[in-house]
Amino acid sequence: MKKDNIKEVKGKVGEVCSSEEKKEGPVCKHWFINWTLFVVLGIFLFSLVQKIIVPRWNWPEMSENVSWNLESFKSLEKNSEDVLFIGTSHLQLGVSPMELYKEYGIVSYNLCTAAQPLDLSYYLLEEAYKTQSPKYVVIDASAIFFTDERYQNTERRKIIDSLPLSVNKIEMAKTYSELKPNASDKEKMEEINSIIFPIINYHTNWKTITETNFDFKVNPNYCTAGYIMSSHNNGVVDKDKADVDALVDRAMADNTRIDVVRDGGDDIKIYEKENVLYDPVITETQRENIKKLKELCKEHNTKLIIVKVPLYDYPYNYTSSWDHAKYERMKAFAQEMDVEYFDMMYEADIRFDMAKDFHDEGWHLNYSGAVKLSKCLGEYLSSKYGIGGKTNAYMDAHMKYYDKMASLAGIELEYDFQKYTQLLSENADDLVVCVVTKEEWEAGLNEADVNALNTLGLYDKIKEYSDQGNAYLALIDAGEVKFEQISNRTMAYGYDFSGKYVKLVSGGADSSNIGDIYLDGSQESLSKKGLNILVIDKTTGKVVDCSYISTDTAEEHKVMHSLGTNNYLYDDMFCDN
């Protein structure tokens, strides 16, 4: 074989071309194409593996709504939003853009996240300005009192990892890397690299990969415009928390700090620590962050407004808690910064019901409380700045889904038995309602209970019986009573709908003391003494509400809802259209 032929064969298998061979063309072109394909394939495989391993911070966890929320925001019509909300979870669960639109015609979006620090609020707003030109940016005041040591690694990463790679994200990474105290230059660079290539931070996740890691769906239709609708109510706020200011005043006067400790049960014990003065401090770092936010807003002809969402806990227990000392400090700081400040805890009379309007004993608002706060904020924005009176295609298209969610949240938050059955009746077309009894459920039945059951079209058969200890069950589909029966023996009834199968089993005190409701083989009822109710969405087959009423005693008969996670609202916060 000739020398020239050997060179040609080597070129064909990918040997780097010489300068003379480059002039020949075809062989070198093949080499270039092969290596380009190799690099592209490598990048694709790397991106795919990274996508599988890196968390996407989405549902069903309440605080993990970041990724899809940002996708939904990017899908909005450009420059369509008049107001953007940024900041912590107190605004995230506290203000509903859909309520603002419905009541005032205010077009807005909620970009708040759990424990959102001010430096990331700045970069998140920079990202928002790429597609929107809001006239007003409303930020929650809670983060202003975060200390410099509050690193919040996980909550920061939820925001950072959800943003696409850009110059803005690299700047964010630099800021983030400076937060760790005493970090070396090498550690800072490793932090920056882990943000640009997040697989570095999560490389050990391959050990716990499940099928959910391969679910890459992205749904930009966020029916609530970023607001998290909660239908939880985890108890009554402690009465002592209503007089936080008195405790703070005493602490300031005595030069002591009060620690409030819950020793089991509901008992609160107060311990005082000598010579540790409680002092709400705004650090220099947070001052600079507010200055930067104000300047950024000014560059884009946007007015920055700081607000405070009411919440109730001792400031010593919870960073975002408020008292008169913080209020005065914040008011003076806002004047110093020349920034508008509206304190809805001390400057508004919202009249929250401490037993009904909070998601978690005074820290965050549920849907009931958010409606009240949104009305207060909507009135403030519309009356002071003349915002509102607009129509918006996105809001109009999603309102029917939002209203459905709102009606279901209302059901889950209603404790009055008569009002509860009225809400079930009003939304009957979409629901399957199952009722079973357990033990001596008739012992405490009263006229109000009878009226509540009559609202659902029930109880006619029960009137014929006066003996206690019977079993009872009923099923209502789209407002029509499909089955209702009472017996002194254990009963069971099965029913098919929309590809789902529900089975009701009831046994009174004279038989088996059973009160169970099965949905596709899974026991879903609370199985408590009295009336047990399971409400199911007729179309999706998902549980809307799970509750019981203690009609076995003569005490007040409140509807007691399950305090467990109800995924119905979380799943359906994203529309299919």
Side-chain angles (χ1 to χ4, degrees):
M1 185 180 283
K2 291 183 179 179
K3 236 179 190 181
D4 289 339
N5 290 337
I6 292 174
K7 284 184 182 178
E8 186 178 350
V9 171
K10 286 182 179 179
K12 285 181 180 178
V13 296
E15 188 172 289
V16 178
C17 303
S18 68
S19 57
E20 288 188 8
E21 289 170 331
K22 286 179 183 178
K23 296 175 184 177
E24 297 175 7
V27 173
C28 193
K29 284 180 182 177
H30 285 134
W31 172 85
F32 178 77
I33 292 171
N34 288 342
W35 275 99
T36 301
L37 289 173
F38 178 77
V39 171
V40 170
L41 180 61
I43 293 172
F44 171 77
L45 291 174
F46 176 82
S47 300
L48 180 62
V49 172
Q50 182 165 268
K51 198 169 186 179
I52 292 170
I53 291 177
V54 175
R56 285 182 285 282
W57 310 121
N58 286 319
W59 301 104
E61 296 298 328
M62 278 200 66
S63 64
E64 299 180 358
N65 71 320
V66 185
S67 298
W68 280 5
N69 190 12
L70 291 174
E71 288 294 332
S72 179
F73 179 76
K74 286 193 295 185
S75 74
L76 297 173
E77 180 185 350
K78 284 193 174 183
N79 302 323
S80 59
E81 308 301 295
D82 287 336
V83 184
L84 293 183
F85 297 97
I86 57 175
T88 70
S89 55
H90 303 294
L91 265 180
Q92 185 183 32
L93 278 83
V95 61
S96 168
M98 299 300 278
E99 293 291 331
L100 292 175
Y101 179 71
K102 186 160 46 173
E103 295 296 323
Y104 300 95
I106 295 173
V107 180
S108 62
Y109 200 91
N110 193 325
L111 283 173
C112 298
T113 58
Q116 187 181 117
L118 291 177
D119 55 284
L120 284 197
S121 296
Y122 175 87
Y123 290 112
L124 196 58
L125 186 56
E126 270 203 333
E127 197 71 23
Y129 276 131
K130 292 179 180 179
T131 57
Q132 297 295 330
S133 300
K135 297 181 179 67
Y136 302 88
V137 165
V138 179
I139 188 169
D140 173 46
S142 298
I144 293 174
F145 286 92
F146 286 1
T147 59
D148 295 348
E149 293 77 24
R150 184 164 180 169
Y151 186 52
Q152 288 292 347
N153 181 57
T154 302
E155 301 303 341
R156 288 175 181 273
R157 290 302 301 232
K158 287 177 184 178
I159 301 172
I160 293 170
D161 293 338
S162 299
L163 292 171
L165 186 59
S166 65
V167 174
N168 185 38
K169 185 169 183 174
I170 294 172
E171 287 298 320
M172 190 186 299
K174 290 177 182 176
T175 301
Y176 181 68
S177 69
E178 298 291 335
L179 294 173
K180 284 186 176 179
N182 305 317
S184 65
D185 290 341
K186 180 183 177 183
E187 289 172 329
K188 291 177 182 178
M189 184 53 65
E190 288 174 349
E191 195 72 75
I192 292 172
N193 289 336
S194 76
I195 290 173
I196 297 173
F197 303 108
I199 194 172
I200 296 172
N201 200 52
Y202 304 104
H203 65 277
T204 58
N205 283 10
W206 67 267
K207 300 175 183 177
T208 56
I209 287 178
T210 65
E211 61 182 21
T212 58
N213 290 79
F214 297 89
D215 183 4
F216 301 139
K217 67 179 180 181
V218 174
N219 192 335
N221 293 303
Y222 205 177
C223 295
T224 58
Y227 156 66
I228 288 185
M229 182 184 291
S230 168
S231 57
H232 287 197
N233 181 273
N234 292 350
V236 179
V237 175
D238 296 314
K239 291 181 180 178
D240 290 348
K241 291 180 183 177
D243 197 17
V244 171
D245 288 335
L247 290 173
V248 173
D249 290 342
R250 198 182 89 201
M252 298 290 278
D254 297 343
N255 194 31
T256 61
R257 191 185 85 196
I258 301 175
D259 286 344
V260 183
V261 181
R262 199 181 278 279
D263 285 356
D266 292 325
D267 293 333
I268 291 178
K269 292 187 177 181
I270 296 175
Y271 301 89
E272 297 185 9
K273 293 186 178 181
E274 298 279 338
N275 301 318
V276 184
L277 180 65
Y278 167 68
D279 187 23
V281 174
I282 300 174
T283 67
E284 191 58 37
T285 301
Q286 304 298 28
R287 288 174 178 273
E288 288 303 314
N289 283 330
I290 289 295
K291 285 180 183 177
K292 285 179 63 179
L293 277 165
K294 182 185 173 184
E295 289 169 4
L296 179 62
C297 288
K298 187 176 180 180
E299 288 174 18
H300 293 271
N301 296 315
T302 304
K303 184 174 183 62
L304 179 65
I305 303 172
I306 302 174
V307 301
K308 177 56 189 169
V309 177
L311 62 105
Y312 300 88
D313 199 351
Y314 298 102
Y316 327 102
N317 285 354
Y318 189 46
T319 307
S320 298
S321 295
W322 227 237
D323 54 59
H324 201 266
K326 269 190 174 181
Y327 165 62
E328 292 294 347
R329 185 69 56 89
M330 184 62 228
K331 200 162 66 166
F333 175 68
Q335 289 176 350
E336 177 189 337
M337 295 288 108
D338 192 25
V339 177
E340 185 72 24
Y341 176 56
F342 179 40
D343 193 304
M344 289 182 281
M345 186 160 180
Y346 285 96
E347 297 174 355
D349 186 14
I350 302 180
R351 298 184 182 274
F352 287 119
D353 185 331
M354 304 300 288
K356 292 183 180 180
D357 294 334
F358 285 87
H359 167 85
D360 48 6
E361 295 194 17
W363 285 11
H364 301 86
L365 295 166
N366 56 29
Y367 168 69
S368 175
V371 169
K372 295 179 181 180
L373 184 120
S374 298
K375 184 176 181 179
C376 173
L377 193 52
E379 183 63 32
Y380 171 80
L381 292 172
S382 61
S383 62
K384 184 158 188 174
Y385 299 108
I387 314 173
K390 286 192 171 183
T391 58
N392 179 271
Y394 179 92
M395 296 286 193
D396 291 335
H398 291 77
M399 189 59 73
K400 65 177 181 179
Y401 296 97
Y402 177 83
D403 284 341
K404 179 181 178 180
M405 289 175 57
S407 65
L408 296 177
I411 289 171
E412 294 174 1
L413 288 167
E414 185 53 66
Y415 296 90
D416 181 273
F417 191 19
Q418 181 66 62
K419 293 179 181 178
Y420 178 71
T421 54
Q422 184 63 42
L423 287 172
L424 292 179
S425 179
E426 291 172 1
N427 294 277
D429 290 346
D430 300 321
L431 305 175
V432 172
V433 180
C434 307
V435 184
V436 299
T437 60
K438 185 176 180 181
E439 300 190 32
E440 294 184 350
W441 58 277
E442 300 140 305
L445 276 175
N446 56 42
E447 187 176 349
D449 300 328
V450 174
N451 292 334
L453 291 168
N454 283 161
T455 302
L456 296 175
L458 298 177
Y459 201 66
D460 289 337
K461 294 180 182 295
I462 300 176
K463 291 179 180 178
E464 302 170 10
Y465 296 82
S466 58
D467 296 334
Q468 295 180 12
N470 289 307
Y472 171 81
L473 54 81
L475 185 138
I476 307 162
D477 184 351
E480 180 182 351
V481 179
K482 295 292 185 179
F483 187 85
E484 182 183 22
Q485 189 64 56
I486 189 167
S487 174
N488 58 2
R489 299 181 181 181
T490 301
M491 294 186 297
Y493 174 71
Y495 184 73
D496 290 290
F497 69 97
S498 303
K500 297 288 182 178
Y501 179 73
V502 63
K503 181 181 178 182
L504 288 66
V505 183
S506 177
D510 292 341
S511 51
S512 55
N513 279 336
I514 295 175
D516 296 339
I517 304 172
Y518 296 85
L519 180 61
D520 284 344
S522 174
Q523 208 292 102
E524 297 288 348
S525 72
L526 295 176
S527 296
K528 299 286 188 179
K529 292 181 181 179
L531 295 169
N532 289 273
I533 299 177
L534 191 73
V535 184
I536 307 167
D537 184 272
K538 182 174 171 61
T539 304
T540 64
K542 295 175 183 176
V543 173
V544 172
D545 190 43
C546 184
S547 62
Y548 74 96
I549 302 94
S550 298
T551 55
D552 58 311
T553 69
E555 296 177 3
E556 187 178 13
H557 297 160
K558 293 288 186 183
V559 181
M560 305 303 294
H561 304 269
S562 169
L563 296 182
T565 300
N566 188 326
N567 284 326
Y568 185 89
L569 288 181
Y570 302 165
D571 291 344
D572 282 50
M573 208 167 284
F574 298 92
C575 312
D576 293 329
N577 71 331

